[in-house]
Amino acid sequence: MATNRYDVSDQVRLWGTFTANAVGTDPTNVYLEVYTPANVKTTYTFGTGAVIVKQATGTYYADVVLDRQGMWQYRWIGSGNIIVSEDNYLYSRRRPF
């Protein structure tokens, strides 16, 4: 699990990697759940909108703006031909000036 620190209003790139037998594999469905510090969940689905981008087989990313101070949590979920999830978190802080 990676821990990263950012400033409020930063745009961060969240990466999700899916593998089967150590080989990049595309799940049938790809989702990203993002939880704000206020525990408000937003779910993004690959193929509906432009938030989740496929960079290569099994590798996806989404750019998210951190608009609140505190701990952000996110989970990449793959379903269908492979079932997997990956949880991570990061911190955003208010700038002192």
Side-chain angles (χ1 to χ4, degrees):
M1 208 180 302
T3 303
N4 297 301
R5 297 187 185 277
Y6 300 91
D7 292 323
V8 170
S9 78
D10 281 353
Q11 178 174 292
V12 297
R13 183 157 285 179
L14 308 178
W15 289 94
T17 304
F18 301 95
T19 60
N21 300 318
V23 175
T25 305
D26 290 327
T28 305
N29 304 296
V30 174
Y31 307 98
L32 172 62
E33 296 177 344
V34 178
Y35 295 82
T36 70
N39 205 31
V40 174
K41 178 176 87 169
T42 302
T43 302
Y44 303 100
T45 303
F46 177 68
T48 60
V51 175
I52 297 177
V53 177
K54 178 179 173 180
Q55 181 174 21
T57 301
T59 303
Y60 298 81
Y61 69 85
D63 293 328
V64 175
V65 175
L66 307 177
D67 60 359
R68 291 179 172 248
Q69 177 180 338
M71 184 174 78
W72 290 72
Q73 299 176 73
Y74 59 99
R75 173 182 296 143
W76 285 96
I77 301 167
S79 67
N81 58 331
I82 61 170
I83 300 172
V84 65
S85 69
E86 176 185 347
D87 298 348
N88 275 303
Y89 61 96
L90 55 89
Y91 292 93
S92 60
R93 65 183 179 117
R94 290 226 181 268
R95 294 180 182 150
F97 47 88

